[in-house]
Structure formats: structure tokens, C-alpha cells
Amino acid sequence: MIIDWFTVVAQVINFLILVWLLKHFLYKPILQAIATREQRIAAELAEANSTKLAAQQQRDEFAQKNEAFDQARTEMMNKAMDEAKVERQRFIDTARMETATLRSQWQEALRNEHQNLNAEITHRTQDEVFAIARKVLGDLAGETLEARMVALFVQRLQQLDEEERAPLLSAFKATSSVALVRTAYPLSAEQHTVIEAAVNAIFGLTQRLQFEVVPTIVSGIELSANGQKLAWSITEYLGALEKSVGELLHEQLKTVPVANEKSNDEH
Amino acid sequence: MHLSPDEVVFWQYGFIKLNLTIVTTWVLMGVLVIGAKLVTRKIGMIGKHGVQVTRWQSLLEIVVGAIKQQIGEVGLRQPEKYMGFLGTLFLFVATASIFTIIPGYEPPTASLSTTAALAICVLVAVPLFGIRELGLGGYLKDYLQPTFIMLPFNIISELSRTLALAVRLFGNMMSGGMIIGILLTITPFLFPIAMSVLGLLTGMVQAYIFSILATVYIAAATGTHRAQHDVITSQTEA
């Protein structure tokens, strides 16, 4: 077993050539490929990490926005509910006010209608009563009645107290106009004289009286001068009656709406 | 029957001759270089699913990665600097061993000339790497450790271990090939196949041992080993 030194040298050269070739064709490209891939993997990992971070950030942002949105929605909902409550209350108040207005208007209208109806009834009743009274008194009117009326008128003149007499007196004195005596039926000359004598005696006047026939005065006599008037007639009584009936009806009308309102409230 | 493939000479002109060892080495070199070129030419090509990595490339990446890792584990910093020498040492011996499965094949490592050549390469590479790493003074100072009296012993140690490296590889490779040859002549097929598998295994182990020993020598020469030893010593003293 000997060593062939030529072969040794050749093998050394061969080995060195192989080292160079493998270095060039194997180790360098393979190590470079590994390094490149590792770099790429590292870059991809870094990118994935940054993407993950970004995703995390976006998720946090989204969660934050979601929370803010929920909060805003709740606030808006609460606000809307409050506004709806206020608006509802306002509508209810408005409706109440309108109802109250309508009710008062309706009550007013009802009251007016009632009053009108009552007034109509009253007037008609009055008219009928007066018409009947006039008819009856007209039918009954005669010499005796006329004489009796004159007598009553004179009696009344005489019974005037100072308070009643003073304005009449001043009226008679102040005016230059003629004192007027109005009757429903024409009086006789004698009756004229009696009345003139009584007036002159009571008021101390010398002037003459003017007599006038007015059919609307139902069985009565009126003495008037310068706006002052002294009268006795059935019309006066009827006027007093009319006044008292009117007052009575007015009192009743006042009480009717209260009763109506009570009945409405109960409903 | 011949003991060494050196004995099979195809062509000779004076002392220049073309024997089986050299031819087989060229074939192996061709296979390694052409194979590497074929595999690495497609590196970086972009396929349908990004950068294309072929199976052969994956295999080579595994092999190269393992070599790099081994060099690093022995203790050499920056394994890329030693990859060319130590990786080629391993790949050449391993390939020479793998091809023993081909009947009639004689590995070039079964020649003492080849193993001597490889051992000489290691013998030269060790001081070269050491000088590159430590400088000439730093490397030579190593031979005077622990005292200058140790200089001849250190030199003898350097030479003898290189010789041992060469003989070990030669012995194992040659014996493997020779045993298969002998068994083929005296026994039927099964036993030589089993021995061939065993020879393959021992060949791979030898490739590993050869290259790892070279790595260790280089690590010792570059001071890495000493640095590690210093660290361990300081830790122990502490």
C-alpha cells in the first residue's frame, strides 16, 4: 500500500476546485435563497404584525364608535321621548283648552239660545197678556172707569211726596213748553177741568194742559213735561209686571247653565 | 483483486497518469456540481404560488442548513466562512460513500492518496484559518502553550492527528469496499446487500466524523475552543 503522490496532488487540486465550484454553485445560492426567504418571512411577519395591529386598532376604533353610536342613540331616544312627552302634554293642554273654549262657547250659545227662547216666550206671553189685558180693559172701559181713573190720578197727584214732586215741579217751571196729559181715551171737558185744577193746585201752576189721546196707554193717564213724567195707567202696572217677570226669568237663566255644566261634567 | 483504485490506470504519460481514483473523483465532482447547478438555477423563480421551491432545493437547503448548524454547534462563529471547505469535505466523502450502492463502484476515498490529499487539505486549512482569525503571531503562540517545551509535541500532535484522520477514513472506506468485494466472491446476493447497507451507514458516519474532526481542529486553531475553555474555566473558578 503506497501513496501515489501524483494522485495526491491531483486530488488536492480536484478538491480545491470542487470547493470553489460548490461554493459558487451550491452554498452561495442556497444560503442566499434561505436568507432571502427568511428576510421575506420576517418582512411578511412584520407586515402581518402591523396588519394585526392595524386591525386591532380598527377594531378598537370600531368598538369605540359603536359605543359612541349606542350612547348617541340612547341620548337621542331619551331626547325624543322627552320631546314626545312634552309635545303630548302640549297637545293635551291644547285639546283641553280647546275643549274648554268649545264648551264655554257651547254653553254661551246654549245660554243665549235659552235666553232668546225665554225672552221670546216672555215677550209673547207679555204681548198676549197685554193684549188680553188691553182687550179686557178696552171692553170694560166706559164712563165709570174713565171717571174712576181720573179720580185715582188726581188722588195720586195729591199723595205725591216731596221727593217725587220736586223734579216734576222744576220741570214744569223750567220749560216753556206745554205740560202734556195723555190718555188712552178722549176725556170729557169736565175731566179736563178736574185734572187741570188738581195739577194747578198741587204744583201751583197757571198754565194750561194739553190733552192727547194715545191708544197704546191702556186705561191710564200720563202727565209729562220736559222729560219728567207722572203716570198712572194699567200699562204702568203691566210694565212693573213685565219688569218683575223679566227679573225672575233672568234669575232662572243664571241658574240653568250651572245645572247644565254639572250634567256635562258628570258625563 | 486490487486494494486501491490507484492501481487501475487508464492512461499514463511519464509520472502523469489517469487512474480510477481521479476519474471517479471527476465523476463525483461532475455529479455534485451539475446537480447543484441544476437545482440552484431555478432559485428565485416565481411560480403560481409565489417563489418556487423544488423538492431538490428543499433537500439541498436541509443538507446545507444542517452543515451550517453543525459547524455553528462545534463553536465556529460565522459558519458561512467555513462552509465552503468543511461542507465540501463532508459532501465529497458522503457522496463517495453513497455511490457504493452501485455495483462495481470503488469510492475514491478507498484510495490512501485521496484520504491523504484530504488530510493534507485539512492540515493546510487549519493553520490558514487560524492565521486568518488570530493573525500569524497569535496562531504560532498557540504552539508554545502551555510552555515552549511543548512546541515539538504540539507539532507532532498536529501531524499525527492529520495522519490519523487520513488513515481512519481510508481504512473504513477501503475495508467497506473490500469486504463487499470479498463477500460477493464467496456468498450469494443477500449477505453482500446487507453488508452494502452497513457499509453505506459506516461511510456516512465516516463522512460525518471526518468533517466534524476537521471542524474541531479548525475551531481549536481559530481560538474559539480556547475562548470557550476560558469561559468555562472562569465560570468554574468563580
Side-chain angles (χ1 to χ4, degrees):
Chain A
M1 183 69 58
I2 53 160
I3 294 173
D4 180 9
W5 289 105
F6 173 76
T7 309
V8 170
V9 172
Q11 287 295 74
V12 167
I13 293 165
N14 282 339
F15 180 73
L16 291 176
I17 290 168
L18 184 62
V19 168
W20 184 84
L21 287 172
L22 285 186
K23 209 172 176 179
H24 192 259
F25 291 115
L26 180 66
Y27 306 123
K28 202 174 164 185
I30 291 285
L31 288 174
Q32 208 169 6
I34 291 170
T36 309
R37 195 162 57 244
E38 279 176 354
Q39 276 179 358
R40 202 181 65 234
I41 288 166
E44 279 175 2
L45 278 174
E47 195 184 336
N49 211 17
S50 67
T51 310
K52 193 180 162 188
L53 279 172
Q56 181 78 24
Q57 205 173 356
Q58 277 185 346
R59 198 183 68 178
D60 292 348
E61 204 175 326
F62 178 73
Q64 215 169 359
K65 277 184 183 174
N66 217 1
E67 202 176 334
F69 175 74
D70 281 347
Q71 203 172 351
R73 193 181 59 181
T74 311
E75 280 175 10
M76 279 173 76
M77 187 74 85
N78 289 340
K79 195 180 167 189
M81 281 174 76
D82 291 346
E83 280 177 0
K85 274 182 188 172
V86 170
E87 196 70 3
R88 181 169 161 269
Q89 192 59 43
R90 197 174 64 79
F91 280 141
I92 288 169
D93 291 346
T94 311
R96 269 189 191 148
M97 280 169 68
E98 282 177 1
T99 310
T101 311
L102 282 172
R103 187 189 288 169
S104 65
Q105 281 175 355
W106 174 73
Q107 284 173 351
E108 187 66 27
L110 195 68
R111 193 183 295 127
N112 288 339
E113 200 178 339
H114 207 141
Q115 278 179 346
N116 290 339
L117 188 63
N118 282 337
E120 185 67 26
I121 290 166
T122 306
H123 287 139
R124 285 206 181 172
T125 309
Q126 273 182 326
D127 289 349
E128 288 299 319
V129 167
F130 295 151
I132 292 163
R134 279 193 197 99
K135 180 116 176 63
V136 170
L137 290 169
D139 290 348
L140 289 175
E143 202 174 323
T144 316
L145 186 63
E146 296 296 323
R148 184 64 191 149
M149 278 194 316
V150 169
L152 276 169
F153 184 66
V154 170
Q155 191 184 350
R156 183 152 179 212
L157 282 173
Q158 287 167 344
Q159 286 174 348
L160 281 173
D161 56 10
E162 196 56 35
E163 280 183 10
E164 289 173 325
R165 203 174 58 175
L168 281 169
L169 185 61
S170 62
F172 286 136
K173 282 181 179 174
T175 183
S176 57
S177 63
V178 181
L180 187 64
V181 175
R182 289 190 288 188
T183 56
Y185 300 98
L187 298 173
S188 62
E190 192 182 347
Q191 286 171 328
H192 285 185
T193 310
V194 171
I195 291 167
E196 271 179 353
V199 168
N200 289 338
I202 291 161
F203 294 105
L205 299 173
T206 55
Q207 64 192 98
R208 286 188 66 84
L209 297 174
Q210 188 180 345
F211 289 91
E212 193 178 339
V213 175
V214 181
T216 54
I217 299 170
V218 182
S219 301
I221 300 172
E222 275 184 13
L223 173 63
S224 62
N226 199 27
Q228 294 293 323
K229 190 174 82 172
L230 178 69
W232 179 92
S233 70
I234 293 173
T235 307
E236 287 295 311
Y237 289 118
L238 288 173
L241 175 65
E242 191 178 346
K243 193 179 173 186
S244 67
V245 168
E247 282 175 358
L248 185 65
L249 285 171
H250 189 67
E251 286 298 317
Q252 281 182 341
L253 282 173
K254 272 186 180 175
T255 57
V256 168
V258 175
N260 284 338
E261 279 174 18
K262 277 181 182 175
S263 64
N264 286 332
D265 289 341
E266 282 168 6
H267 288 296
Chain B
M1 183 167 183
H2 52 267
L3 283 175
S4 169
D6 289 358
E7 293 168 14
V8 182
V9 178
F10 297 112
W11 176 82
Q12 186 163 12
Y13 181 77
F15 68 94
I16 301 167
K17 53 187 165 190
L18 205 62
N19 54 29
L20 184 61
T21 308
I22 294 171
V23 172
T24 318
T25 305
W26 284 351
V27 172
L28 285 179
M29 283 168 69
V31 168
L32 280 170
V33 173
I34 291 166
K37 179 64 189 167
L38 283 175
V39 172
T40 56
R41 69 178 174 165
K42 287 184 177 176
I43 280 180
M45 285 181 73
I46 297 166
K48 276 191 288 186
H49 308 290
V51 177
Q52 204 169 20
V53 180
T54 58
R55 290 177 187 175
W56 285 107
Q57 188 187 332
S58 299
L59 178 70
L60 284 189
E61 282 183 10
I62 290 165
V63 171
V64 172
I67 293 168
K68 188 182 168 186
Q69 191 187 354
Q70 281 297 319
I71 294 169
E73 280 178 8
V74 168
L76 284 169
R77 289 185 291 271
Q78 293 178 305
E80 294 86 354
K81 287 203 290 190
Y82 309 97
M83 278 289 291
F85 182 74
L86 295 171
T88 308
L89 212 55
F90 172 76
L91 284 179
F92 179 69
V93 178
T95 315
S97 171
I98 287 167
F99 274 53
T100 52
I101 57 169
I102 298 166
Y105 165 82
E106 280 193 57
T109 42
S111 152
L112 191 59
S113 303
T114 306
T115 55
L118 294 178
I120 287 165
C121 286
V122 174
L123 181 73
V124 175
V126 167
L128 280 178
F129 280 120
I131 290 164
R132 193 175 73 173
E133 201 68 31
L134 303 170
L136 184 62
Y139 175 72
L140 290 176
K141 211 165 68 179
D142 216 30
Y143 281 93
L144 303 174
Q145 298 297 332
T147 60
F148 69 92
I149 302 164
M150 293 301 287
L151 178 66
F153 300 105
N154 279 333
I155 292 167
I156 291 166
S157 159
E158 193 79 16
L159 292 171
S160 65
R161 76 184 182 190
T162 309
L163 186 65
L165 199 66
V167 173
R168 181 193 289 115
L169 182 64
F170 162 74
N172 282 295
M173 288 304 191
M174 186 208 69
S175 65
M178 195 170 281
I179 286 166
I180 292 164
I182 294 163
L183 286 172
L184 271 173
T185 57
I186 58 172
T187 60
F189 290 104
L190 275 176
F191 195 64
I193 289 170
M195 284 307 293
S196 180
V197 172
L198 194 64
L200 192 65
L201 180 67
T202 54
M204 292 304 291
V205 170
Q206 281 310 309
Y208 177 72
I209 289 172
F210 190 85
S211 49
I212 210 81
L213 279 174
T215 313
V216 169
Y217 297 157
I218 290 169
T222 54
T224 319
H225 181 71
R226 195 173 56 221
Q228 284 178 341
H229 178 262
D230 290 347
V231 170
I232 293 163
T233 311
S234 64
Q235 281 176 346
T236 314
E237 284 169 358

